[in-house]
Amino acid sequence: MAIDATLPYDDGNIFARILRGELPAKTVYEDEHALAFHDINPQAPTHILVIPKGAYVSWDDFSARASDAEIAGFVRAVGKIARDLGLVEPGYRLLANVGPDSGQEVPHLHVHLFGGHGLGPMLVR
């Protein structure tokens, strides 16, 4: 079910529960602004989810309400994770779904980091 990214934050969502330690995750990175972990249903050999630690529904919500430190910390974390996992060369893909037309399923901003083989075209019609 796709999520309306304009709705208020739901602190019962799966990522909020992971952040609170109520659900396990196979963590690959954590700092004061971000948590990264393996996707439970990977779509590529490497499929990591990176989430901010703040309560943000979507990229739009995050870019409008997060502090400069949160934004910088989150973006830097994504880059560090890609470098640490050896994905910069030959390349990787970032994907952040926003709202129902994109298929966003969890109402907490998350970036998918895909890599490990050729990923093909950006969109398939």
Side-chain angles (χ1 to χ4, degrees), residues 3-80:
I3 300 300
D4 181 344
T6 63
L7 293 177
Y9 186 79
D10 171 12
D11 68 0
N13 76 70
I14 191 169
F15 296 159
R17 295 180 66 204
I18 288 170
L19 284 168
R20 290 193 300 266
E22 296 171 7
L23 294 173
K26 190 175 172 188
T27 300
V28 297
Y29 179 84
E30 183 172 13
D31 67 16
E32 66 183 296
H33 298 295
L35 176 67
F37 49 91
H38 289 273
D39 192 293
I40 61 170
N41 184 25
Q43 303 298 303
T46 301
H47 185 172
I48 304 297
L49 298 173
V50 187
I51 63 174
K53 288 195 170 177
Y56 302 104
V57 175
S58 66
W59 192 266
D60 181 67
D61 182 29
F62 181 69
S63 66
R65 296 189 313 107
S67 70
D68 290 348
E70 288 175 295
I71 293 169
F74 183 72
V75 171
R76 288 181 190 276
V78 172
K80 179 174 179 18

